[in-house]
Amino acid sequence: MTDQLKTEGKYTYAEAGEGPAIIVLHGLMGALSNFGATFNHFSNNGYHVLIPELPLYSLPLLKTNVKNMAKFLYEFIEYKNLKNVILLGNSLGGHIGLYFTKHYPEKVGALVLTGSSGLYEKAMGDSFPKRGNYEYIEKKAKGVFYDPKIATKELVDDVFKIVNDRSAVIRTLSIAKSAIRHNMANDLPDMKQPTCLIWGKQDTVTPPEVATDFDKLLPNSDLFWIDKCGHAAMMERPEEFNKILMDWLTARKL
C-alpha cells in the first residue's frame, strides 16, 4: 500500500474508490498496510476509503495525546470536505474514533470498532517492550495474533524500530497515559450512531469482555465475533472481517 500513499501539506494518506467515505484509523504500532485487504475490498465495492497517517510520532510531546489525534482527524475531514463519515478504528484508532465522535457527532454517520481501546487500557501493554531485546519484541508481537505467523519479520522489525527510537518511545508512553485519562465509559451511552463491533474471540489485548461492555454501553451497536482470531481481525481474518462489515453496512443502509 505504500505505493498508494500521497502527501498533501501536512497529510500523508491512502485514498481510493467512490461512494460513502470510510476513514480508517490505525493503532499505535499499526502500519497502514495492516488494512490493505479492507482498503482494497471497500474501495472496489462502492466506498471512498481513506487511511490517513496519524501523527503519533511527529507532534510535539505535549500534544501527543488522544485529544490532538482527534483534532488532526477533524482537520483532515475538513480538508477533504467529507460529510457523514464512517470511522473504522483498530486498537488506539478506535479510541480516537470514539473521542472524535464525542466532540464532533455531527461529522460521524457510523462507527466500526475492532479490538478498540477506550474502556480497557491493557491495550497499551502491561509491560512496555524492553528496548534492544528483539526476542522479547517478537514474542509480544506474535502474542497479538491467534496465529503467530501473522507477525512477519517485517512487522516485528517495524515494532523493534519504534521501541528503539527514544523519541517514539516517549510519545508512545505519552499517548498511552492519555488513553487511560480519556476512558470513554461515561460517554458511550450518548453515542447514537450505528456502531459495528467486530472482535476476535481470542483477543488477549482487548479481551472479549471488552467487546461485550462496548455492546452494552453503546445504544445502537451490533457485535460480531470472529473465531481463531486475535487483536487485529482485519489483518488476521480479512475475508471474514470484510464480509461481516459489508453485510452490516448493507443491512444498515450505509
Side-chain angles (χ1 to χ4, degrees):
M1 258 184 67
T2 46
D3 57 337
Q4 292 171 287
L5 286 179
K6 52 184 166 186
T7 299
E8 295 167 357
K10 68 177 182 177
Y11 305 110
T12 298
Y13 61 101
E15 178 180 30
E18 292 179 10
I22 298 177
I23 298 184
V24 176
L25 302 168
H26 62 85
L28 194 53
M29 294 190 191
L32 273 60
S33 59
N34 294 1
F35 288 91
T38 298
F39 178 83
N40 293 333
H41 180 82
F42 288 93
S43 62
N44 286 319
N45 285 281
Y47 289 89
H48 177 197
V49 187
L50 305 100
I51 313 185
E53 264 187 7
L54 299 172
L56 297 172
Y57 306 115
S58 55
L59 285 180
L61 182 58
L62 290 174
K63 292 191 172 181
T64 304
N65 52 42
V66 171
K67 177 182 175 182
N68 276 299
M69 295 303 146
K71 181 171 176 276
F72 173 87
L73 176 58
Y74 175 85
E75 290 166 354
F76 179 70
I77 287 170
E78 290 290 289
Y79 172 74
K80 294 297 294 181
N81 195 27
L82 301 171
K83 305 275 188 275
N84 221 32
V85 298
I86 299 162
L87 296 179
L88 192 175
N90 172 241
S91 206
L92 176 71
H95 199 158
I96 293 165
L98 287 165
Y99 188 88
F100 180 90
T101 303
K102 173 187 173 180
H103 291 278
Y104 310 104
E106 72 286 355
K107 299 278 183 192
V108 183
L111 280 165
V112 182
L113 304 175
T114 180
S116 177
S117 67
L119 284 180
Y120 175 77
E121 295 321 327
K122 192 186 169 200
M124 302 303 168
D126 44 10
S127 57
F128 194 75
K130 299 179 181 74
R131 290 171 72 190
N133 187 331
Y134 190 87
E135 289 72 27
Y136 180 83
I137 305 296
E138 186 175 34
K139 183 179 169 216
K140 290 295 262 188
K142 287 181 184 297
V144 169
F145 303 100
Y146 175 80
D147 177 2
K149 290 198 291 293
I150 303 289
T152 60
K153 184 172 187 310
E154 183 185 11
L155 185 149
V156 176
D157 287 347
D158 285 346
V159 175
F160 185 71
K161 186 177 171 188
I162 291 169
V163 301
N164 279 282
D165 177 332
R166 187 168 179 275
S167 166
V169 168
I170 292 169
R171 281 165 174 74
T172 300
L173 292 172
S174 173
I175 205 156
K177 287 175 185 166
S178 159
I180 292 165
R181 284 198 306 277
H182 293 297
N183 187 286
M184 304 301 296
N186 294 330
D187 304 303
L188 297 180
D190 297 325
M191 295 186 190
K192 306 293 195 292
Q193 288 86 350
T195 304
C196 181
L197 302 164
I198 306 177
W199 233 262
K201 278 189 179 178
Q202 288 78 23
D203 186 343
T204 57
V205 181
T206 44
E209 59 266 27
V210 180
T212 306
D213 285 347
F214 269 120
D215 195 33
K216 281 179 191 161
L217 290 166
L218 285 159
N220 192 10
S221 61
D222 299 296
L223 173 57
F224 303 93
W225 299 102
I226 298 182
D227 196 14
K228 297 182 179 172
C229 180
H231 184 55
M234 71 290 163
M235 277 181 80
E236 192 157 13
R237 295 275 178 184
E239 287 176 10
E240 263 181 87
F241 180 90
N242 291 342
K243 183 178 188 314
I244 288 169
L245 181 51
M246 184 60 93
D247 288 350
W248 182 82
L249 290 168
T250 304
R252 290 287 195 144
K253 298 183 169 59
L254 292 164

